[in-house]
Amino acid sequence: PVLWRDDIVTDGNLLAYDLQVAMQAYCEEYGVPYALALAVADVESRFDPEAASGTNDYGLMQINQVNHGWLMEEGIDPMTPTGNIEAGVLMLSQHLTRYGDTEKALMAYNCGPTGAKRLWDAGTYRTDYSGKVMARFTHWTSILEG
């Protein structure tokens, strides 16, 4: 199978070939659909490994600083491009396993489990964020299968 493609581009940003290979490997390792990881990286950073937010989120997968400690204890450095991808894919995997629902997993990824639970308790099961990622998931699925 092809491990990298020249059409993994958003807003003119090509996801670097080495990062495509790393993302595919982590998706396989953690059981996350590659198109879903692409969708999260697309929405979170537009494939910019140097992205940083005003709320202490970093890298392609926008890993919040609050998670850096436990990730480092797991041997994952979320401040390197490949470590950031591994961290994001690992967290997606954990949420998918815990909640058994892609939209709920995305809400937990974006808001944290506590924030997502507050939304669910209030009857909200889709956010602008989860909707955007699901739309990009559909897009990337069609690209990868096309």
Side-chain angles (χ1 to χ4, degrees):
V2 175
L3 292 180
W4 59 266
R5 301 168 59 117
D6 61 5
D7 59 354
I8 307 298
V9 177
T10 192
D11 289 346
N13 296 325
L14 172 71
L15 180 60
Y17 298 140
D18 61 323
L19 300 180
Q20 290 181 41
V21 171
M23 185 177 285
Q24 289 178 62
Y26 291 128
C27 285
E28 188 171 319
E29 179 178 345
Y30 294 114
V32 172
Y34 180 47
L36 183 62
L38 285 172
V40 169
D42 184 346
V43 170
E44 290 284 359
S45 69
R46 307 312 256 170
F47 299 151
D48 178 1
E50 303 299 318
S53 76
T55 55
N56 297 315
D57 304 300
Y58 298 96
L60 281 163
M61 304 297 281
Q62 289 292 279
I63 305 302
N64 191 276
Q65 190 171 19
V66 73
N67 294 299
H68 291 194
W70 73 266
L71 287 163
M72 294 292 281
E73 288 173 9
E74 295 290 320
I76 301 169
D77 182 354
M79 294 303 287
T80 67
T82 56
N84 191 270
I85 290 169
E86 182 176 9
V89 172
L90 170 62
M91 292 169 68
L92 280 170
S93 175
Q94 291 173 338
H95 295 318
L96 287 165
T97 299
R98 181 173 182 185
Y99 303 112
D101 177 272
T102 303
E103 290 237 17
K104 282 184 161 185
L106 292 170
M107 290 173 72
Y109 186 92
N110 182 245
C111 303
T114 303
K117 184 173 181 334
R118 258 186 280 191
L119 289 168
W120 302 327
D121 289 347
T124 300
Y125 295 94
R126 184 181 189 101
T127 60
D128 287 345
Y129 174 83
S130 68
K132 284 179 193 172
V133 175
M134 292 303 289
R136 298 311 286 166
F137 179 40
T138 299
H139 167 77
W140 289 115
T141 297
S142 72
I143 296 288
L144 296 172
E145 293 176 355

